[in-house]
Amino acid sequence: MKNYTITVNGTAYDVTVEENGEGAAPAAAPAAPKAAAPKAAPKAAAAAGGTPINAPMRGTIVDIKVKVGDKVTNGTVVAVLEAMKMENDIVCDRDGVVASICVNKGEAVETGAAVITIN
């Protein structure tokens, strides 16, 4: 056994590490195969002539504030995106009517992904 002192963010921790024989690492057990994640249903295609309102950054959709058919104006909050433990409002940049919702609550989105489309 070997004893080490490790300092993390100014706090010292005493750690004891047990060696396995002649310095050889123990044989790793084969990893169980991961089950394939279920595929989400395909998203509805953007409405013809619709303008997408896109996610400004990568994150998780925690709330959708509008429904299809709702009238929105410039500055209306249409969804809430969590990124780096902060909630960010996704706002509409023009007046219109919600034509489609392209994401689901709890879904991870990438930067630039369409959140809703408006006509």
Side-chain angles (χ1 to χ4, degrees):
M1 289 200 174
K2 291 189 179 187
N3 293 320
Y4 296 97
T5 300
I6 299 174
T7 304
V8 179
N9 294 331
T11 304
Y13 297 92
D14 290 324
V15 180
T16 302
V17 178
E18 182 177 343
E19 293 182 30
N20 291 329
E22 304 282 325
K34 291 184 178 180
K39 296 267 183 187
K43 302 278 184 248
T51 303
I53 303 300
N54 300 322
M57 64 188 80
R58 183 172 67 185
T60 302
I61 301 295
V62 293
D63 197 10
I64 299 172
K65 301 282 190 180
V66 294
K67 299 183 298 287
V68 173
D70 285 356
K71 290 183 181 180
V72 293
T73 58
N74 186 5
T76 300
V77 176
V78 297
V80 179
L81 174 110
E82 181 185 317
M84 296 181 285
K85 304 222 183 232
M86 293 182 64
E87 291 187 356
N88 303 280
D89 292 338
I90 299 175
V91 295
C92 191
D93 60 356
R94 59 183 48 95
D95 296 347
V97 176
V98 176
S100 66
I101 298 173
C102 306
V103 296
N104 296 311
K105 188 175 178 179
E107 181 176 342
V109 295
E110 294 294 325
T111 303
V115 175
I116 68 164
T117 58
I118 59 172
N119 285 333

